[in-house]
Amino acid sequence: MSGTDPVCTAPSAGPQPTASCTGTVSHTLAWVARLHRIAMGRRLRDLGLYPGQELMMMRLWDCGAVRQSELIQSLGLDPSTVTKMLQRMEQCGYVRRSPDPADRRAVLVEATEEGLALRAGVENAWTDLEQSTLAGLAPAERAELARLLGLVGENLAKEAGEDACGPGTGALC
């Protein structure tokens, strides 16, 4: 060892794969997903939410009170991750957990009035991000991108052994 820390000399900007010359689309997809999450995180911060919490709230807005186990399954997250998210959101007053009257071992989760009040802000954040993300694309290009991403999503859902439940798949999840 020379006493100096190793320095990465690979270019850091853009979606260039550095480990291999294969997988350019996968690498670009990961890069775009990371940037999309960062951009949404900035919008959610103004609402008092963290990335991913808005997806949980959307599920609660659409379904009403649901069992915590069903919420975990529908979000496709680790149970400990969902529990931590729920604890944080409960402390903020956005959700309420209570025993399920039909099965006292189960926990029901529902949006509070404060949580319901977030809906318009979350919808506006997604609309704003959509406009920003697709700026410069013609309507036909937007439609083609959505179609292609739907196909990619279906392929990845098969790979993951999950139902294809993304937008435009026609599946009810």
Side-chain angles (χ1 to χ4, degrees):
M1 268 304 202
S2 66
T4 61
D5 291 331
V7 176
C8 179
T9 59
S12 60
Q16 310 88 351
T18 58
S20 74
C21 293
T22 61
T24 303
V25 171
S26 292
H27 191 276
T28 302
L29 188 59
W31 176 66
V32 168
R34 183 180 73 75
L35 293 175
H36 190 271
R37 185 174 173 86
I38 290 169
M40 180 51 83
R42 289 183 180 141
R43 287 163 173 82
L44 292 173
R45 191 176 310 126
D46 295 338
L47 300 172
L49 294 172
Y50 291 92
Q53 290 179 335
E54 86 281 15
L55 300 175
M56 181 180 296
M57 292 306 300
M58 288 176 188
R59 186 72 179 166
L60 295 174
W61 296 327
D62 290 345
C63 299
V66 297
R67 286 188 176 169
Q68 185 168 328
S69 59
E70 293 170 6
L71 196 56
I72 290 166
Q73 184 178 10
S74 70
L75 294 173
L77 298 173
D78 182 75
S80 63
T81 301
V82 173
T83 298
K84 182 72 173 171
M85 286 174 74
L86 286 171
Q87 288 170 347
R88 182 176 276 166
M89 294 174 75
E90 201 169 28
Q91 289 172 353
C92 292
Y94 300 144
V95 300
R96 173 183 318 110
R97 291 186 286 179
S98 58
D100 183 343
D103 181 354
R104 303 295 271 174
R105 298 170 296 166
V107 174
L108 286 179
V109 180
E110 63 184 324
T112 62
E113 290 298 319
E114 293 88 354
L116 293 170
L118 292 170
R119 187 173 190 153
V122 168
E123 289 173 351
N124 288 338
W126 275 96
T127 299
D128 183 61
L129 182 57
E130 179 90 357
Q131 291 172 350
S132 175
T133 300
L134 300 177
L137 294 179
E141 292 171 320
R142 291 175 182 215
E144 181 65 1
L145 179 60
R147 186 187 73 77
L148 293 172
L149 288 174
L151 291 173
V152 169
E154 289 174 16
N155 292 339
L156 291 172
K158 288 177 195 170
E159 176 77 19
E162 295 187 8
D163 292 329
C165 297
T169 62
L172 297 175
C173 301

